[in-house]
Amino acid sequence: MNATAKELASGSIAETPTRTRILLAVILFITLMVSFLDRVNVSVLVADPKFLDDMGITGQPVKMGLLMTTFLFAYGISNIITGPIGDKLGPRKAMTLSIVLWAVSTAIGGLAGSFGVMVAARIILGIGEGMHWPMQSSFVKNWFPPSERVRANSAWLVGIMVGPALAMPMISSFVGSVGWRASFFFLIGISIIPMALIWFLTSDQPRQSKLANKLEVDYIERGLKIESDAHAARIAAAGGTNKKFYRDYQYWMITFAFLSSASMFWGSMAWLPSYLKVARGFTWAQMGSLASLPYVLGTLTVLAFGYIADRSSRKGVFPMVALSGASVCVYMGANVVDNITSAYLLSAAIGFLGVGLASYWAIMQGIVASASIGAAAGVMNGVASIGSAFVPTIVGVFIQMTGSYVGGLMVLVGMGALGAICMLILTIKKI
């Protein structure tokens, strides 16, 4: 036996903590990224004449918008009501089940022969993804001490932007070369990756993990214990009761601002590919690359301004700038004559939304009592999802009424402006 082996056997070399939680953050990022591939798929397909003809919705923008609306509505409801199911099953089992539902929905979508069946597939996808989102937060809560939680959330939250950035050119390529049905079957295969990672490499709690050593487990649990004691002390100081967040006007203002951001995001995602191809005349290849640009910019702004805002005491200014900048860019992008300039401006709008993305949750956490964070976060995300669910269809109604995409895009401008006003008020309040 060599010296190193002897030292290891005798324990004379100090053991170092494992970093299993970093692996978990990577897995959560991959899972969210794949979920957004599923979401974006239909956004690209509404620009495909063959898909529209097969679904019987050619020339019917309201029904096109309904494909995103039905998903988002089911997602918002599921986000609120499946939380208890996820808590009972644990995040590992619940997230695995949610991915199984994604696979089922994409299989149904790939085989769909009518608009009704495609709507059913979107509803199933919404139910599955509605269970998935809260479980991401459960994993982070269980595995990361408070001092690392912002960075951990940023690590997986950026999947919101990376997923669409990859999906736009990828799905466009599939549709342009082998047809729209192949894109669904491709997504079934991709879903196996996060499913396997979650099932085989994660555990609900650090102490249950075969990959985390005792030093890492002790480090995590020390941080969680300090947080738990601090929460108990604050409750005791408040007389043993928690402030009811739903009676706080500031909570509802930040919730509405987040709804505005979600409305602009989903409205853009649902209609940008079709707008670039139909209204601006770009080819499939051009549309795929231009439609991914907004999410590349969004990735950069989420990471950069998440870091900057974490070090600022006035976090309200970031969502205000985000919504104001996004509204201006959408307005200018819809009305400018040059096609390339329009595409760049609409890309910049999504980039602006990323400026405030990390701050919404930080502001909410500062307003709401610690013991109510879970409920407040569920309501905030659910309200934003349900409210924004109708935006793609409303945009479609305006397109149909006016005969132009400009009218539909002005819906997004209006939502952004209202959200910016809410954040201006909170910023004046020095939040």
Side-chain angles (χ1 to χ4, degrees), residues 386-398:
I386 294 170
S388 63
F390 297 97
V391 172
T393 299
I394 293 171
V395 171
V397 169
F398 274 83

Side-chain angles (χ1 to χ4, degrees), residues 254 257 305 308-326 352-360 362-363 419-431:
I254 190 64
F305 284 91
I308 294 169
D310 200 32
R311 286 152 179 77
S312 172
S313 60
R314 301 287 296 275
K315 292 180 173 57
V317 70
F318 295 97
M320 183 184 69
V321 170
L323 291 167
S324 301
F352 264 108
L353 292 180
V355 171
L357 193 58
S359 295
Y360 293 107
I363 295 169
I421 292 171
C422 288
M423 292 313 308
L424 174 61
I425 294 171
L426 292 181
T427 299
I428 293 172
K429 293 287 185 179
K430 298 183 179 181
I431 290 178

Side-chain angles (χ1 to χ4, degrees), residues 62-410:
V62 174
K63 285 189 173 181
M64 296 179 203
L66 275 172
L67 290 174
M68 185 62 78
T69 292
T70 51
F71 159 75
L72 286 173
F73 189 79
Y75 170 75
I77 295 295
S78 177
N79 197 74
I80 296 172
I81 68 175
T82 60
I85 298 174
D87 289 338
K88 185 175 181 178
L89 292 176
R92 175 172 167 267
K93 290 181 180 178
M95 193 175 287
T96 302
L97 175 60
S98 74
I99 298 173
V100 170
L101 290 175
W102 303 353
V104 170
S105 74
T106 51
I108 294 173
L111 297 171
S114 68
F115 177 73
V117 175
M118 186 60 69
V119 167
R122 298 294 287 174
I123 291 173
I124 294 171
L125 180 64
I127 294 171
E129 294 206 5
M131 181 184 292
H132 155 245
W133 182 278
M135 295 305 100
Q136 298 264 126
S137 295
S138 293
F139 268 126
V140 172
K141 173 72 174 179
N142 294 344
W143 272 86
F144 290 86
S147 60
E148 297 181 359
R149 209 168 280 159
V150 173
R151 283 169 289 171
N153 279 314
S154 297
W156 66 265
L157 194 61
V158 75
I160 291 175
M161 297 295 181
V162 175
L166 295 176
M168 292 298 182
M170 186 185 302
I171 301 301
S172 297
S173 176
F174 267 98
V175 173
S177 58
V178 293
W180 67 266
R181 294 186 188 275
S183 66
F184 282 96
F185 300 130
F186 167 75
L187 291 173
I188 295 174
I190 288 293
S191 296
I192 295 173
I193 297 173
M195 189 187 303
L197 292 173
I198 292 292
W199 188 256
F200 292 108
L201 297 180
T202 72
S203 62
D204 293 342
Q205 303 286 343
R207 194 164 288 278
Q208 300 168 341
S209 176
K210 296 179 180 178
L211 301 177
N213 65 10
K214 186 177 184 301
L215 290 178
E216 182 179 19
V217 172
D218 289 345
Y219 167 74
I220 295 169
E221 291 184 347
R222 278 197 302 272
L224 298 181
K225 178 67 164 54
I226 293 171
E227 179 184 51
S228 177
D229 291 345
H231 287 173
R234 281 194 290 270
I235 292 172
T241 59
N242 291 313
K243 183 180 180 180
K244 292 179 173 59
F245 65 86
Y246 51 82
R247 294 181 179 177
D248 188 341
Y249 81 93
Q250 294 178 334
Y251 170 81
W252 290 111
M253 293 187 81
I254 190 64
T255 296
F256 184 83
F258 185 61
L259 164 62
S260 299
S261 179
S263 297
M264 296 194 75
F265 182 84
W266 288 112
S268 298
M269 180 179 287
W271 286 104
L272 182 58
S274 178
Y275 175 74
L276 293 176
K277 191 169 188 299
V278 177
R280 293 294 181 172
F282 291 106
T283 66
W284 274 110
Q286 291 171 323
M287 186 271 287
S289 59
L290 288 171
S292 68
L293 179 60
Y295 308 104
V296 173
L297 296 177
T299 297
L300 298 176
T301 54
V302 167
L303 292 174
F305 284 91
Y307 179 87
I308 294 169
D310 200 32
R311 286 152 179 77
S312 172
S313 60
R314 301 287 296 275
K315 292 180 173 57
V317 70
F318 295 97
M320 183 184 69
V321 170
L323 291 167
S324 301
S327 298
V328 170
C329 286
V330 171
Y331 180 84
M332 293 175 62
N335 290 284
V336 73
V337 175
D338 183 69
N339 291 336
I340 292 293
T341 302
S342 172
Y344 287 161
L345 284 167
L346 292 173
S347 297
I350 299 296
F352 264 108
L353 292 180
V355 171
L357 193 58
S359 295
Y360 293 107
W361 298 100
I363 295 169
M364 184 274 293
Q365 290 158 3
I367 291 173
V368 176
S370 297
S372 301
I373 286 290
V379 171
M380 180 171 156
N381 198 43
V383 167
S385 299
I386 294 170
S388 63
F390 297 97
V391 172
T393 299
I394 293 171
V395 171
V397 169
F398 274 83
I399 293 173
Q400 188 163 297
M401 288 173 55
T402 63
S404 167
Y405 280 81
V406 174
L409 291 175
M410 290 306 103

